[in-house]
Amino acid sequence: MKPPKNCPQEYTVDKPAGLLEFLLRTMTGMSRNSVKSLLTRGAVSVGGKTATKHDTPLLPGVTVSVAPPDDPRHIDIAKHLRIIYEDEELIAIDKPAGLLAIATDREKTETAYHLLTEHVRRENNKSRLFVVHRLDKDTSGVMIAAKNERIKLALQDQWNTLVQTRGYTAVSEGVFREKSGTVTSWLKETKTHFVYSGSRPGDGREAVTSYEVIRESAAYSLLGITLGTGRKNQIRVHMSDLGHPVAGDKKYGARTDPLGRLCLHAGLLEIRHPFSERLLVFQSDTPKDFLALF
């Protein structure tokens, strides 16, 4: 007799093995990425204790339990990110630093896209999700995704018209002589994906960044930043151009890393809905560890 659907699946270890190795061998109907995702979400327990490490050692006789599909652990999205807003067409999230927006060659499941896809498939396993714009892995803050292709295409086709405000908070190294200003340059990108300002107007894609110093200490400045354009890495490049790279941004010249992360946060996105024309305002508070530096 099969156990009820809402009961966990239990397996008894027959020989010494690592947890991931054991699950792959035992759960033959699941892909490697799906099994890894179970571990990431905390849906697997060993001897009654949640286990997330792939190399957790297993000894013969130990019981490994996997939560059923409708168990909240399968989609414990709150452990990874916060949903700010959701309706039948859009999801806005507060992405933490360190979480990829989309998959890479090396990482398929530890992404905002993967987590949100599992979230929407809770109600309908055929649901799809579309990333409209991205944040760098080490940038935290507001990011939106579309729940159907119609709105995804509308947002992407009209992005620059629909977006009313994109606001960021950054911690930059040093003290600014000019407490506010606007930086304009033309950005270019090397084959190794390093973005830099061209040597003359028109030499690259125009990028406009406005900043204002909110707080300062002897070592750092807390900035409120508004984008006039949405070019790749433009804040990081422009702060470096000013001689005040974003703290933690070794790629663009930072000498310090006070928080073990890139100190850049997408705090505000105001966007006009492409069909209803309603103004949607999504916000995320400045990280407390940013403020603690001042």
Side-chain angles (χ1 to χ4, degrees):
M1 182 177 179
K2 293 183 178 180
K5 289 184 178 180
N6 61 348
C7 288
Q9 295 174 284
E10 294 190 344
Y11 308 96
T12 301
V13 178
D14 57 348
K15 59 183 179 181
L19 180 55
L20 179 60
E21 174 195 348
F22 174 77
L23 291 173
L24 289 171
R25 186 175 71 241
T26 306
M27 305 181 75
T28 55
M30 297 187 69
S31 69
R32 184 182 184 87
N33 283 337
S34 296
V35 173
K36 288 173 66 177
S37 185
L38 292 175
L39 291 169
T40 299
R41 293 192 303 272
V44 178
S45 61
V46 176
K49 295 183 179 181
T50 300
T52 58
K53 293 184 178 180
H54 299 178
D55 59 353
T56 298
L58 303 179
L59 296 176
V62 170
T63 298
V64 175
S65 299
V66 180
D70 58 352
D71 190 287
R73 284 173 290 179
H74 277 272
I75 48 166
D76 193 0
I77 199 170
K79 286 186 176 181
H80 302 272
L81 52 83
R82 180 172 67 92
I83 294 178
I84 300 171
Y85 171 87
E86 182 176 7
D87 62 22
E88 66 279 1
E89 294 186 305
L90 287 173
I91 298 181
I93 65 168
D94 186 357
K95 187 189 82 66
L99 181 68
L100 287 164
I102 62 173
T104 65
D105 291 339
R106 293 184 177 182
E107 182 56 64
K108 305 296 183 184
T109 59
E110 275 289 310
T111 70
Y113 171 79
H114 181 81
L115 291 166
L116 289 173
T117 296
E118 292 213 343
H119 171 71
V120 299
R121 285 181 176 171
R122 232 182 136 185
E123 294 184 3
N124 181 349
N125 61 12
K126 294 183 179 180
S127 294
R128 299 179 65 191
L129 194 83
F130 304 88
V131 173
V132 177
H133 72 116
R134 307 174 195 175
L135 294 178
D136 291 340
K137 177 182 178 181
D138 295 321
T139 300
S140 56
V142 178
M143 194 178 94
I144 64 173
K147 295 169 76 172
N148 61 62
E149 196 165 9
R150 172 175 171 260
I151 194 166
K152 171 239 185 185
L153 293 173
L155 287 169
Q156 289 184 333
D157 291 346
Q158 306 171 59
W159 183 258
N160 291 332
T161 302
L162 294 172
V163 172
Q164 307 299 298
T165 307
R166 291 185 72 178
Y168 284 72
T169 305
V171 177
S172 279
E173 293 183 336
V175 177
F176 284 68
R177 179 178 297 178
E178 301 292 336
K179 305 306 179 185
S180 63
T182 297
V183 183
T184 300
S185 73
W186 284 261
L187 300 184
K188 304 176 73 174
E189 186 173 0
T190 67
K191 292 181 179 179
T192 57
H193 308 296
F194 181 80
V195 181
Y196 64 99
S197 293
S199 59
R200 62 185 184 279
D203 186 21
R205 303 182 71 192
E206 185 179 27
V208 181
T209 305
S210 297
Y211 72 90
E212 181 179 3
V213 176
I214 300 171
R215 298 185 188 180
E216 58 187 14
S217 68
Y220 299 108
S221 296
L222 183 68
L223 307 177
I225 294 173
T226 303
L227 297 186
T229 56
R231 310 301 185 201
K232 178 181 177 180
N233 289 357
Q234 77 171 65
I235 294 174
R236 299 166 66 181
V237 175
H238 282 168
M239 293 305 104
S240 181
D241 288 347
L242 291 174
H244 298 284
V246 176
D249 194 3
K250 183 178 179 180
K251 181 175 181 179
Y252 289 99
R255 296 181 179 180
T256 64
D257 186 11
L259 301 178
R261 58 159 292 188
L262 177 70
C263 293
L264 185 61
H265 179 74
L268 174 64
L269 176 64
E270 295 182 345
I271 187 167
R272 190 77 61 185
H273 193 287
F275 304 128
S276 70
E277 298 187 355
R278 182 163 55 101
L279 182 65
L280 302 172
V281 180
F282 305 125
Q283 292 180 287
S284 170
D285 293 339
T286 300
K288 292 181 181 179
D289 51 0
F290 282 23
L291 301 175
L293 294 173
F294 301 90

